[in-house]
Amino acid sequence: MFIYLSKKIAIPNNVKLKCISWNKDQGFIACGGEDGLLKVLKLETQTDDAKLRGLAAPSNLSMNQTLEGHSGSVQVVTWNEQYQKLTTSDQNGLIIVWMLYKGSWYEEMINNRNKSVVRSMSWNADGQKICIVYEDGAVIVGSVDGNRIWGKDLKAIQLCHVAWSSDSKTLLFGMANGEIHIYDNQGNFIMKMKLNCLVNVTGAISIAGIHWYHGTEGYVEPDCPCLAICFDNGRCQIMRQESDQNPVLIDTGMNVVSIQWNHIGSVLAVAGSQKAISQDKDINMVQFYTPFGEHLRTLKVPGKQMSALSWEGGGLKIGLAVDSFIYFANIRPDYKWGYCSNTVVYAYTRPDRPEYCVVFWDTKNNEKYVKYVKSLISITTCGDFCILATKADENHPQFVLVLCNSIGTPLDPKYIDIVPLFVAMTKTHVIAASREAFYTWQYRVAKKLTALEINQVARSRKEGRERIYHVDDAPSGAIDGALDYSKASQGTEDPICAITASDKTLIVGRESGTIQRYSLPNVGLIQKYSLPCRAYQLSLNCNSSRLAIIDISGVLTFFDLDARVTDSTGQQTIGELLKLERKDVWDMKWAKDNPDLFAMMEKTRMYVFRNLDPEEPIQTSGYICNFEDLEIKSVLLDEILKNPEHPNKDYIINFEIRSLRDSRALIEKVGIDDASQFIEDNPHPRLWRLLAEAALQKLDLQTAEQAFVRCKDYQGIKFVKRLGNLQSESMKQCEVAAYFGQFEEAERMYLDMDRRNECDPRSRPSCSHRIGVHRSGSFLCGGSIHMSCLSKEGRTRSQEAWCQEGPSSIMESCHQRLDDWRSELLDLAIGLRLKLGDWFRVLQLLKTGSGDADDSLLEQAHNAIGDYFADRQKWVNAVQYYVQGRNQERLAECYYMLEDYEGLENLANSLPENNKLLPEIAQMFVRVGMCEQAVAAFLKCNQPKAAVDTCVHLNQWNKAVELAKNHSMKEIGSLLARYASHLLEKNKTLDAIELYRKANYFFDAAKLMFKIADEEAKKRTKPLRVKKLYVLSALLIEQYHEQMKNAQRGKVKGKSSEATSALAGLLEEEVLSSANRFTDNAWRGAEAYHFFILAQRQLYEGYVDTALKTALHLRDYEDIIPAVEIYSLLALCGCASRAFGTCSKAFIKLESLETLSTEQKQQYEDLALEIFTKHTPKDNRKSELDSLLEGGEGKLPTCVATGSPIMEYQFWMCNVCKHCVLAQEISNYNFCPLCHSSVG
């Protein structure tokens, strides 16, 4: 930062000031002094010049009001910004609250305790409470409306200072003996503050000031120190909170009277006095520090005694109360900012975020891009790129250099282990320096380089892109700068204080005044120079021949790096300090295209120097962005950062230097010839370009061409050549207007030429006509055609036409020629807009044209406008133009973005078959889950496989199978397997069965059904349900058999050979052998549960003998029905039919079952004992039972209706399940008792 005194206001009658306070929001300045003096002042800038803003604008007192009410010396003044109130107190203890009414201040409230004097007053952060401390220890906390909230007397304590915490929960009380006590907001003592800055300090001390920054504008870093406490002996400590055990300690070395933070808590001002070494009197001065204790600047102030200071609300000015004067000093902050590729990059803090908000503001398009960066250290720019230097982690001593482009996109970050206190950047290198070492990084970006630069870059890449050097080393330029960070930890007696670099030179400045010059890209120490000052800012000119130095006091000097001079001893040395010296300089910039041109900022004046000779100054307070083409671009950062979220293009100011202004004036007032001679004497490409442009406007093509040649503008030369080929002056003027960007004017001129042709035949460029009346009353063209407007062939043809065809033919020819000319003019106007990409105007011209518009150009215009709206996501507008432009591809995209799927479907339906857009539209439907529409689109473009895949993807398996069948796809088997596995994963087995059944995959369906039947049987569900499942499984198997037979018959169809047919049957049986075994299992399961159910039904109906016969069949199905259930049923039926022998065998089987527990077996034994003690275990009837009990091979078939064996030759057999029923029984049934198929 830089600071300088700018203004002084005297207090009438030489009344000495005691206090001063600057209202941060409204800008009022209150000052109090002896004899009851209390004044309210206000400085305001009044100027109509847009370039004179901020500190450069003249300021005058808009208010100078003396407030009457105090009789004693006014000692304390404090503002309540939120409620626009001023609170003052004097040495008699009188407190007055003042309010603003109709532009003047009036007394609102008054309080006089009449016991003690007020030493300090402080409003809390929201302005709701005020704390007043008296010298005798009394404390009063009141509200903004004057009510007392609480009061307290601190016995035997003298108070002198008070401060609120930012959350208003804590109060700090400063004692007269130098102690600071911490209380809560209700007046309860918490603790005594530890004052580390007073260690080893003896003697009486007093508190000079306590200021607690409340964070209203954010913090420069997370957990940043914000509580400043300073004592009269110059010792100061800055704390993060009231209990901070590790505060920042400062020894200012002066007698301190007042301290205060600036508006964002980034700079602490400490005011006081210091004994001069060579003089007996004290010197008033203000020291400025960062929150971390780093000293920034010192401001010396005239006068005998300074009593107080106060910051202006924006942090750009500071007010100092000295004797009977108010001194104002201007602050030029060290903003974190840069300029690259028409983009201003700046950073600021926000109260709602801990990071820095970095804004990339494109001044050309007025667009901004925002990034949030933690612990930002600096911003450095060059060309199209910038470097953001940040701290990697709060707890880790590592730092990051982030390479960004002009919209803030990070391109390449580099982690380094040195603190990047100083950063410089060139087109190929980034140099970061700490106090002891510097680091070089050759960064890579996608940009065009010259052949030399490419070689340099390639060589440096081979040698290594990153290197680090200690400042005390002397590198030779060879590969000796390895990336060894241990060098950075080695100390030095002469630390680095500034660096700068160009494409071929690196300059490092040291605190002793030594300047070290290194070569780039291979870093080698070339020369050391000695300066009589400590550099604060260094800058090289465009050819690296001169170095500009701004020292810590703001003095600008220049050093010629290549000059050879002879010193007093007669030895020749390299380097010479030039005689030019300027004071109070805070910014400077060399011209990019002239090594002798530079601009500098001296207070609020900008000076331009050519060969060290200054031009007249320009009043401004802007920071210099760029100096090129004799123009200086400056940015009013002070104004931008007042409202950083909405930068204004008015804050970018361009200044022309004198030679450019003089040349422009000569051209406008004297003429091109004299101006040409002046530019010849003061040559510069920008001046030649200015002359060329002026010559073009006057259509002086010869001078324009010569000027374009001098400024090496090849495009300009080509343009002049093209102008020379045009015959019409009006056409030339149109082209020149377009060249200067006056496109509206150029178009107007084109169209005016067209309208003049319609209204005035004499103005037609191609023909001049005299229209007369023939004796017959018809019009004829009497005149001459401009032969220069026609080709040689055209001229011959027109002459022949005049002689042979007569006047009427010539009239038609002239009208045709006129129409062609008008069409050509319109085409030129359209072509102009086409070059500009102004499609809206192109469309308007096409629609208003006299002839038929070109359909292809109309479509192109409609599509371009559609693209314009689509790029801005205005899809509804885009649709309208794409429809007219028949751009089906972009129309589909718009419908998709609008979620207008009906429109998208209609578009797909309107497209011809196999259109290349159909697959894309189908994919759009797939992405939103619209299966039917997607399938239709895929089928329309003959992609059935994609349609099937879509159905699978969207779980529309039925549709997928149907499509696969309809299109005879080989993949149907794998598709069915995938679908079935999908259904099985979701436990939808019956759905999988139905899928296979519909697809005629009966065997797979049967296996799944059989599996379900087995699972249901194991679950012991209802027997009838299990029987049905087994029957269904078996029926599916039968369908599979029938399918295979039909397939085999189809293969041998047309072959009459019986042998062939028999062979096919054998093959079929071989193929179906495994299926047959599976079929038998299915029917066995159905039989088992059929007989199980039948036996119980017969038993309950009282047919006990029949039930016993049926139950005996169950012995063959122990693998299907649990044995305990079979033999339990058999024992029950045997007992019921009094076949106790069969019953006994059933009990024996039950008692031997291993699946039963001992307890269950005992129960069966007890039951058997109870039965067979009463009945002999013998069967009474053995006629039919014997055959059933014997079983074995060749047993008789069983009637599935009664369970009895069939001993007759006549019986009925089911065509489906092949089971039999007695002939006399089948008449009672319409359906097969087992498989339920129709009897008929």
Side-chain angles (χ1 to χ4, degrees):
M1 63 173 286
F2 183 72
I3 183 169
Y4 59 91
L5 293 173
S6 59
K7 195 179 189 70
K8 181 173 76 170
I9 296 177
I11 303 300
N13 303 321
N14 293 325
V15 177
K16 289 189 177 181
L17 296 175
K18 296 291 185 182
C19 52
I20 186 171
S21 182
W22 206 324
N23 187 309
K24 302 295 186 290
D25 291 342
Q26 289 83 34
F28 297 108
I29 305 168
C31 56
E34 296 177 347
D35 302 329
L37 172 73
L38 179 61
K39 275 185 169 292
V40 176
L41 313 173
K42 189 172 185 180
L43 286 173
E44 284 189 334
T45 58
Q46 296 176 347
T47 177
D48 296 329
D49 190 348
K51 294 185 178 181
L52 284 180
R53 295 174 182 265
L55 299 180
S59 58
N60 298 307
L61 282 175
S62 63
M63 174 179 281
N64 185 2
Q65 183 182 355
T66 301
L67 307 186
E68 304 290 342
H70 288 288
S71 57
S73 175
V74 177
Q75 297 180 333
V76 182
V77 292
T78 182
W79 288 100
N80 183 339
E81 282 98 353
Q82 289 81 356
Y83 292 92
Q84 289 193 1
K85 294 182 185 294
L86 171 65
T87 311
T88 61
S89 69
D90 59 25
Q91 66 183 25
N92 301 322
L94 177 64
I95 301 173
I96 302 177
V97 179
W98 308 83
M99 61 176 286
L100 184 65
Y101 178 71
K102 292 185 177 180
S104 297
W105 291 91
Y106 296 93
E107 185 180 291
E108 181 186 21
M109 290 180 282
I110 189 167
N111 179 36
N112 194 349
R113 187 163 162 264
N114 291 323
K115 289 185 178 180
S116 182
V117 61
V118 174
R119 284 301 180 192
S120 182
M121 297 184 292
S122 177
W123 289 95
N124 68 347
D126 59 10
Q128 294 281 352
K129 299 177 184 178
I130 186 171
C131 183
I132 305 168
V133 296
Y134 291 83
E135 191 175 41
D136 62 357
V139 178
I140 297 174
V141 174
S143 66
V144 68
D145 53 8
N147 295 321
R148 179 180 176 131
I149 298 175
W150 58 267
K152 187 165 188 163
D153 285 328
L154 304 181
K155 303 297 182 183
I157 290 178
Q158 287 188 340
L159 297 175
C160 63
H161 286 279
V162 64
W164 287 92
S165 65
S166 58
D167 58 5
S168 302
K169 293 181 179 179
T170 306
L171 279 166
L172 302 183
F173 293 137
M175 313 298 171
N177 61 1
E179 292 182 356
I180 297 176
H181 293 184
I182 305 171
Y183 283 72
D184 65 15
N185 58 2
Q186 298 301 315
N188 301 310
F189 177 76
I190 298 176
M191 61 182 290
K192 184 187 293 186
M193 181 180 289
K194 183 179 180 182
L195 299 172
N196 300 62
C197 64
L198 296 181
V199 175
N200 300 325
V201 173
T202 58
I205 56 170
S206 63
I207 300 172
I210 303 174
H211 193 200
W212 203 333
Y213 170 59
H214 291 161
T216 51
E217 298 293 332
Y219 295 92
V220 292
E221 274 193 24
D223 198 27
C224 177
C226 55
L227 170 58
I229 300 166
C230 197
F231 295 86
D232 62 347
N233 64 353
R235 297 293 183 94
C236 181
Q237 72 180 39
I238 309 176
M239 310 170 71
R240 290 163 180 82
Q241 70 278 337
E242 68 275 10
S243 57
D244 188 359
Q245 298 299 311
N246 189 27
V248 176
L249 305 180
I250 303 172
D251 186 358
T252 63
M254 62 181 187
N255 296 319
V256 180
V257 295
S258 180
I259 65 169
Q260 194 175 67
W261 288 107
N262 68 345
H263 68 302
I264 58 172
S266 61
V267 179
L268 176 68
V270 182
S273 60
Q274 191 178 49
K275 283 281 187 185
I277 299 174
S278 59
Q279 302 175 11
D280 293 335
K281 65 176 183 179
D282 294 342
I283 299 175
N284 296 318
M285 62 175 57
V286 184
Q287 306 268 27
F288 296 88
Y289 296 90
T290 68
F292 304 97
E294 180 186 355
H295 181 259
L296 296 174
R297 289 282 174 172
T298 299
L299 175 69
K300 294 182 179 180
V301 184
K304 294 181 179 179
Q305 184 177 6
M306 191 185 310
S307 56
L309 67 81
S310 185
W311 285 88
E312 177 248 357
L316 300 177
K317 292 182 179 181
I318 192 168
L320 308 169
V322 182
D323 301 331
S324 58
F325 299 95
I326 301 176
Y327 286 90
F328 293 95
N330 288 350
I331 313 288
R332 306 312 298 134
D334 283 336
Y335 293 119
K336 292 177 171 63
W337 80 286
Y339 180 80
C340 61
S341 183
N342 293 314
T343 300
V344 177
V345 187
Y346 59 91
Y348 68 98
T349 56
R350 292 176 53 167
D352 57 336
R353 296 192 70 116
E355 311 99 332
Y356 270 92
C357 180
V358 182
V359 179
F360 291 78
W361 175 36
D362 184 345
T363 59
K364 189 174 183 179
N365 302 320
N366 202 25
E367 296 177 351
K368 63 185 182 71
Y369 309 88
V370 178
K371 283 176 64 69
Y372 291 96
V373 181
K374 264 191 171 183
S375 304
L376 180 68
I377 298 173
S378 65
I379 297 174
T380 309
T381 57
C382 180
D384 297 334
F385 304 95
C386 77
I387 287 288
L388 304 180
T390 69
K391 193 173 182 181
D393 189 359
E394 297 174 9
N395 302 318
H396 194 274
Q398 197 173 31
F399 302 86
V400 192
L401 301 176
V402 184
L403 178 68
C404 298
N405 61 13
S406 59
I407 61 172
T409 305
L411 303 177
D412 192 4
K414 284 294 175 186
Y415 288 80
I416 59 175
D417 291 338
I418 65 170
V419 187
L421 297 176
F422 315 98
V423 182
M425 188 177 183
T426 71
K427 288 189 293 185
T428 56
H429 285 77
V430 173
I431 302 96
S434 64
R435 296 290 184 190
E436 301 84 12
F438 60 92
Y439 157 92
T440 64
W441 164 35
Q442 184 267 310
Y443 61 90
R444 297 174 181 174
V445 293
K447 60 189 285 290
K448 295 180 180 178
L449 299 174
T450 64
L452 176 62
E453 289 170 335
I454 289 173
N455 292 333
Q456 291 175 348
V457 169
R459 187 166 65 252
S460 61
R461 284 179 184 174
K462 291 176 184 177
E463 295 167 358
R465 296 177 59 218
E466 298 176 73
R467 302 208 175 275
I468 191 166
Y469 303 88
H470 194 273
V471 70
D472 291 333
D473 293 343
S476 62
I479 309 174
D480 57 358
L483 197 61
D484 182 9
Y485 281 106
S486 62
K487 293 182 178 181
S489 61
Q490 301 172 9
T492 179
E493 295 180 356
D494 191 6
I496 297 172
C497 61
I499 65 170
T500 189
S502 65
D503 292 339
K504 59 183 180 181
T505 303
L506 167 65
I507 300 293
V508 176
R510 307 179 72 170
E511 290 186 356
S512 65
T514 300
I515 297 292
Q516 297 180 185
R517 180 182 180 183
Y518 299 86
S519 61
L520 284 179
N522 296 325
V523 179
L525 182 61
I526 299 174
Q527 191 72 34
K528 286 188 178 183
Y529 309 96
S530 182
L531 298 177
C533 63
R534 172 184 168 185
Y536 177 75
Q537 179 181 330
L538 298 173
S539 182
L540 281 167
N541 64 353
C542 62
N543 63 2
S544 304
S545 62
R546 286 185 177 179
L547 177 69
I549 307 108
I550 301 177
D551 68 11
I552 195 70
S553 303
V555 177
L556 172 65
T557 53
F558 293 87
F559 194 84
D560 192 325
L561 297 172
D562 299 326
R564 296 181 178 273
V565 295
T566 304
D567 60 11
S568 56
T569 61
Q571 294 182 347
Q572 192 177 52
T573 59
I574 300 176
E576 178 186 15
L577 187 66
L578 304 181
K579 295 181 179 180
L580 179 66
E581 182 180 295
R582 304 290 296 201
K583 295 181 179 180
D584 294 328
V585 177
W586 52 272
D587 192 17
M588 75 85 58
K589 181 77 70 175
W590 289 98
K592 288 184 177 181
D593 49 10
N594 189 328
D596 297 326
L597 271 178
F598 69 89
M600 69 163 204
M601 293 301 304
E602 185 179 289
K603 293 187 176 179
T604 55
R605 294 182 298 275
M606 176 191 291
Y607 287 89
V608 177
F609 283 75
R610 181 191 293 271
N611 291 324
L612 305 183
D613 295 326
E615 298 181 2
E616 64 275 9
I618 303 167
Q619 201 74 14
T620 182
S621 61
Y623 288 72
I624 303 173
C625 296
N626 192 39
F627 189 0
E628 191 174 12
D629 270 352
L630 307 182
E631 280 189 310
I632 301 167
K633 180 170 287 188
S634 177
V635 56
L636 299 175
L637 282 174
D638 300 334
E639 303 302 310
I640 287 176
L641 289 170
K642 289 178 181 177
N643 188 9
E645 295 181 8
H646 302 95
N648 191 329
K649 291 185 78 171
D650 293 340
Y651 299 149
I652 299 292
I653 304 174
N654 292 310
F655 300 98
E656 295 182 346
I657 73 168
R658 186 170 61 193
S659 59
L660 182 57
R661 295 196 304 269
D662 292 348
S663 299
R664 196 184 302 280
L666 280 173
I667 291 170
E668 292 174 357
K669 297 177 181 178
V670 181
I672 289 179
D673 294 337
D674 292 337
S676 178
Q677 185 59 46
F678 174 80
I679 294 171
E680 188 76 42
D681 297 336
N682 300 277
H684 191 279
R686 179 72 175 88
L687 299 180
W688 285 116
R689 192 161 64 250
L690 180 67
L691 180 64
E693 291 169 355
L696 274 181
Q697 288 178 336
K698 296 183 178 181
L699 296 181
D700 184 351
L701 300 186
Q702 183 179 359
T703 304
E705 184 177 7
Q706 292 174 354
F708 277 131
V709 169
R710 296 296 295 270
C711 64
K712 300 178 182 179
D713 187 344
Y714 179 72
Q715 297 297 330
I717 297 170
K718 292 288 289 182
F719 177 70
V720 173
K721 293 287 187 185
R722 188 157 57 87
L723 281 183
N725 294 330
L726 295 177
Q727 301 297 326
S728 169
E729 294 294 313
S730 300
M731 291 287 289
K732 292 179 181 179
Q733 291 173 354
C734 293
E735 290 292 327
V736 169
Y739 178 82
F740 287 116
Q742 301 167 1
F743 305 113
E744 300 293 336
E745 177 67 15
E747 181 188 315
R748 185 189 62 75
M749 292 168 70
Y750 280 131
L751 298 178
D752 283 351
M753 289 166 62
D754 186 10
R755 283 192 287 272
R756 286 200 305 271
N757 290 336
E758 293 179 1
C759 301
D760 183 6
R762 291 171 298 178
S763 64
R764 294 169 186 159
S766 57
C767 302
S768 61
H769 302 284
R770 295 188 303 276
I771 305 297
V773 182
H774 197 263
R775 285 173 297 185
S776 62
S778 61
F779 286 95
L780 61 88
C781 176
S784 60
I785 299 175
H786 277 305
M787 294 299 156
S788 62
C789 298
L790 299 173
S791 63
K792 180 178 180 180
E793 181 184 354
R795 288 197 294 269
T796 305
R797 190 167 57 246
S798 62
Q799 291 166 354
E800 291 174 355
W802 178 261
C803 298
Q804 297 175 9
E805 299 176 10
S808 60
S809 299
I810 295 300
M811 175 69 86
E812 292 175 6
S813 174
C814 290
H815 283 308
Q816 179 63 41
R817 180 63 178 166
L818 177 60
D819 290 340
D820 292 344
W821 173 250
R822 289 167 56 192
S823 177
E824 182 183 353
L825 289 173
L826 183 61
D827 289 345
L828 287 170
I830 292 172
L832 173 66
R833 291 298 172 179
L834 282 174
K835 290 179 183 178
L836 298 175
D838 186 356
W839 290 100
F840 289 94
R841 184 61 181 155
V842 169
L843 185 60
Q844 187 178 359
L845 289 171
L846 287 172
K847 288 182 177 179
T848 57
S850 57
D852 293 334
D854 184 358
D855 288 344
S856 63
L857 189 56
L858 264 175
E859 283 188 13
Q860 187 181 0
H862 282 121
N863 288 329
I865 296 174
D867 292 340
Y868 170 85
F869 285 117
D871 290 342
R872 288 153 181 79
Q873 298 185 1
K874 297 180 179 180
W875 307 110
V876 176
N877 298 17
V879 164
Q880 300 172 9
Y881 287 96
Y882 283 141
V883 167
Q884 296 178 74
R886 291 183 286 190
N887 191 334
Q888 295 161 335
E889 184 176 351
R890 295 307 301 271
L891 193 58
E893 180 185 348
C894 289
Y895 282 140
Y896 180 71
M897 297 305 296
L898 285 171
E899 300 181 9
D900 182 3
Y901 303 119
E902 183 179 352
L904 192 60
E905 185 177 2
N906 293 335
L907 176 62
N909 294 335
S910 67
L911 293 174
E913 291 186 359
N914 295 320
N915 188 282
K916 64 178 182 180
L917 186 58
L918 283 169
E920 188 177 340
I921 293 177
Q923 287 298 337
M924 292 179 182
F925 283 126
V926 171
R927 286 195 286 269
V928 295
M930 299 178 70
C931 182
E932 185 178 347
Q933 292 81 353
V935 166
F938 277 129
L939 293 179
K940 195 169 183 179
C941 62
N942 197 25
Q943 294 186 18
K945 186 178 185 306
V948 171
D949 292 340
T950 296
C951 294
V952 172
H953 177 67
L954 298 176
N955 294 330
Q956 300 294 321
W957 295 93
N958 290 336
K959 185 74 174 174
V961 171
E962 182 184 347
L963 287 170
K965 286 175 62 180
N966 294 341
H967 292 83
S968 303
M969 295 177 64
K970 296 179 180 179
E971 297 88 355
I972 189 169
S974 62
L975 179 64
L976 285 169
R978 286 169 59 195
Y979 185 16
S981 62
H982 165 77
L983 293 172
L984 292 173
E985 285 175 3
K986 296 188 174 183
N987 294 321
K988 294 181 178 180
T989 311
L990 291 176
D991 292 339
I993 293 169
E994 181 67 10
L995 168 71
Y996 279 130
R997 191 186 69 80
K998 286 183 177 180
N1000 295 330
Y1001 277 63
F1002 299 114
F1003 187 70
D1004 297 295
K1007 287 194 292 186
L1008 288 177
M1009 185 62 77
F1010 187 80
K1011 183 179 178 183
I1012 292 177
D1014 276 349
E1015 290 175 354
E1016 292 296 312
K1018 291 176 183 176
K1019 293 178 184 177
R1020 312 312 306 143
T1021 53
K1022 293 180 180 181
L1024 182 60
R1025 173 181 171 82
V1026 179
K1027 174 198 167 182
K1028 289 179 180 179
L1029 292 171
Y1030 277 123
V1031 168
L1032 287 172
S1033 175
L1035 290 175
L1036 288 168
I1037 287 293
E1038 294 299 332
Q1039 287 180 285
Y1040 172 67
H1041 286 163
E1042 188 66 25
Q1043 184 185 36
M1044 293 300 295
K1045 288 177 183 177
N1046 293 336
Q1048 291 299 330
R1049 289 194 193 102
K1051 291 178 182 178
V1052 298
K1053 190 175 181 181
K1055 296 181 181 179
S1056 57
S1057 170
E1058 292 182 2
T1060 305
S1061 180
L1063 180 60
L1066 291 172
L1067 288 172
E1068 176 198 350
E1069 289 182 5
E1070 184 179 350
V1071 171
L1072 298 179
S1073 60
S1074 61
N1076 287 335
R1077 290 192 295 272
F1078 184 69
T1079 306
D1080 293 340
N1081 289 335
W1083 283 122
R1084 283 189 75 250
E1087 292 168 4
Y1089 277 93
H1090 173 74
F1091 288 132
F1092 187 65
I1093 296 168
L1094 180 60
Q1096 295 187 64
R1097 184 185 298 126
Q1098 292 169 337
L1099 179 63
Y1100 279 99
E1101 290 176 355
Y1103 303 107
V1104 292
D1105 292 338
T1106 311
L1108 178 60
K1109 293 176 185 177
T1110 304
L1112 285 169
H1113 291 294
L1114 295 174
R1115 294 174 302 169
D1116 297 331
Y1117 304 104
E1118 290 185 19
D1119 58 328
I1120 298 171
I1121 301 175
V1124 63
E1125 295 192 12
I1126 293 174
Y1127 289 104
S1128 294
L1129 178 61
L1130 186 57
L1132 183 60
C1133 292
C1135 185
S1137 65
R1138 305 191 70 79
F1140 292 110
T1142 304
C1143 180
S1144 174
K1145 291 178 181 178
F1147 269 109
I1148 292 170
K1149 187 70 174 178
L1150 286 169
E1151 291 171 8
S1152 65
L1153 290 175
E1154 294 179 358
T1155 57
L1156 296 179
S1157 64
T1158 306
E1159 184 180 353
Q1160 289 174 324
K1161 290 180 180 180
Q1162 186 61 45
Q1163 289 177 346
Y1164 281 118
E1165 289 178 6
D1166 294 344
L1167 182 59
L1169 183 61
E1170 184 179 347
I1171 293 172
F1172 296 117
T1173 52
K1174 296 179 181 179
H1175 305 283
T1176 304
K1178 290 183 179 179
D1179 292 329
N1180 295 329
R1181 299 180 296 278
K1182 287 190 176 182
S1183 56
E1184 294 182 8
L1185 286 176
D1186 287 344
S1187 62
L1188 290 170
L1189 290 170
E1190 290 172 6
E1193 295 293 331
K1195 66 178 183 178
L1196 298 172
T1198 305
C1199 174
V1200 293
T1202 62
S1204 303
I1206 299 176
M1207 300 179 180
E1208 303 172 359
Y1209 289 103
Q1210 294 293 329
F1211 55 86
W1212 176 84
M1213 179 181 286
C1214 179
N1215 292 328
V1216 177
C1217 64
K1218 305 297 187 288
H1219 286 77
C1220 304
V1221 180
L1222 290 167
Q1224 63 270 24
E1225 291 290 336
I1226 195 61
S1227 60
N1228 299 325
Y1229 293 91
N1230 294 323
F1231 300 96
C1232 173
L1234 181 65
C1235 68
H1236 303 282
S1237 59
S1238 177
V1239 172

